[in-house]
Amino acid sequence: MQRYVRERRIAELAVERACKLTSIVSGSQQTGSVSKSDHSPVTVADFGAQAVIIGALQTVFAEDPVVGEEDSSILRKDDGLREQVWKLVREASHLDTYQTEIGQVESEEKMLNYIDWGQFEGGKVKRMWALDPVDGTKGFLRGGQFAVCLALIVDSQVVVGVIGCPNLLVDPADESSGKGVIFSAVAGEGAFSRPLASPIDSAVQISMSSVTDTTAASFCESVEAGHSSHGQQAEIARLLGITKPSVRMDSQAKYASIARGDGDIYLRLPVSATYEEKIWDHASGNLLVAEAGGIVTDMYGNPLDFSQGRTLKKNKGIVAASKATQPKVLEAVQKVLQES
Ligand code: AMP
Ligand code: MG
């Protein structure tokens, strides 16, 4: 029997709606970008996407807590920005026919409350969702890759993962194949993808590449040198005999890309000893890669522990690759860590 059928469907509809919302913003050139207290950028798309996704979850799974990246404090202080987000949320909710299934955000006040429903502290709970409404905001702002990511975590295990990538080519080998792909996975049931504009039941199963010789592999990493150590990652690639240049892209599109075999390895070694990775940056991608036949661990080989609150406190770094190559990659990672 298939598990989490309803959760997966609702998550896909909600992510699709949020992806449409991000397209309105990219089309308008008005990103409404402001700086958060940690100096990272946030746009009207981040707030709007969080509102429509949590609105959908609250309509169907009213009891479920959500660990989401954004909160409404900036919007409550800035009337202009709030109105911009509200207009966007209303517009996006009318671009689909999902109102009977996932409702729509009824008022500005509800929109703010939905955004703040994402402030759950996480931890060891029966059920919670992890949401990154626009992962890779910097990529979104530069017209590059970004991803709308939603995952259901049950008893600290990711059981449903959905990633919408509006700027990813449907077929990476064909520039004319169109952009916009949605990925989904349920634990134990494989990973799937389909073009964003296609119906849910058209999704096809995806799998990691079958490369076993790391010298033939390619690896991907963040665009931002401040998010992972490009220097150490280049050294690891050298040890593995990788000759292809790294593929740099923002967001969990990296997990999605290796899950469908576009690349082989995703490396994320910390640049800061104190930074704690956020659960919403890894929950969906972690499941997608596992279900596509890969392994995701931290840089010491430990599984990611989603029971520690809003961050992956017990983990450092990310090493994702196929079952055949991941142990070899981890070995190279240990060598580079010992040298540093
Ligand atoms: P990426 O697109 O791979 O560069 O990852 C984007 C994510 O990096 C954002 O969603 C942030 O949560 C996260 N981030 C911000 N600062 C850091 C940091 N110092 N180290 C690692 N990740 C970070
Ligand atoms: Mg993010």
Side-chain angles (χ1 to χ4, degrees), residues 69 132 134-137 252 280-281:
E69 178 165 10
D132 196 337
V134 175
D135 182 29
T137 305
Q252 286 178 70
W280 56 79
D281 280 332

Side-chain angles (χ1 to χ4, degrees), residues 99-131:
Q99 292 79 11
T100 50
E101 274 187 275
I102 58 172
Q104 61 192 56
V105 182
E106 294 108 337
S107 68
E108 225 172 293
E109 191 50 35
K110 282 220 158 144
M111 173 184 84
L112 297 174
N113 292 339
Y114 285 149
I115 293 172
D116 287 336
W117 185 255
Q119 285 307 291
F120 183 60
E121 70 276 11
K124 283 191 179 75
V125 291
K126 181 72 203 154
R127 252 172 90 104
M128 66 180 175
W129 296 83
L131 166 64

Side-chain angles (χ1 to χ4, degrees), residues 132 135-136 222 226-227 250-251 254 268 275 277-278 281:
D132 196 337
D135 182 29
S222 297
H227 290 175
D250 299 283
S251 84
K254 290 187 280 298
R268 188 182 190 89
Y275 184 79
E277 294 284 349
K278 309 293 188 280
D281 280 332

Side-chain angles (χ1 to χ4, degrees), residues 13 81 84 142 155 169 195 225 234 257 264 267 298 307 321:
L13 298 183
L81 200 66
Q84 229 182 310
R142 58 167 94 87
D155 292 327
L169 279 174
S257 291
D264 306 287
L267 293 173
D298 68 8
S307 73

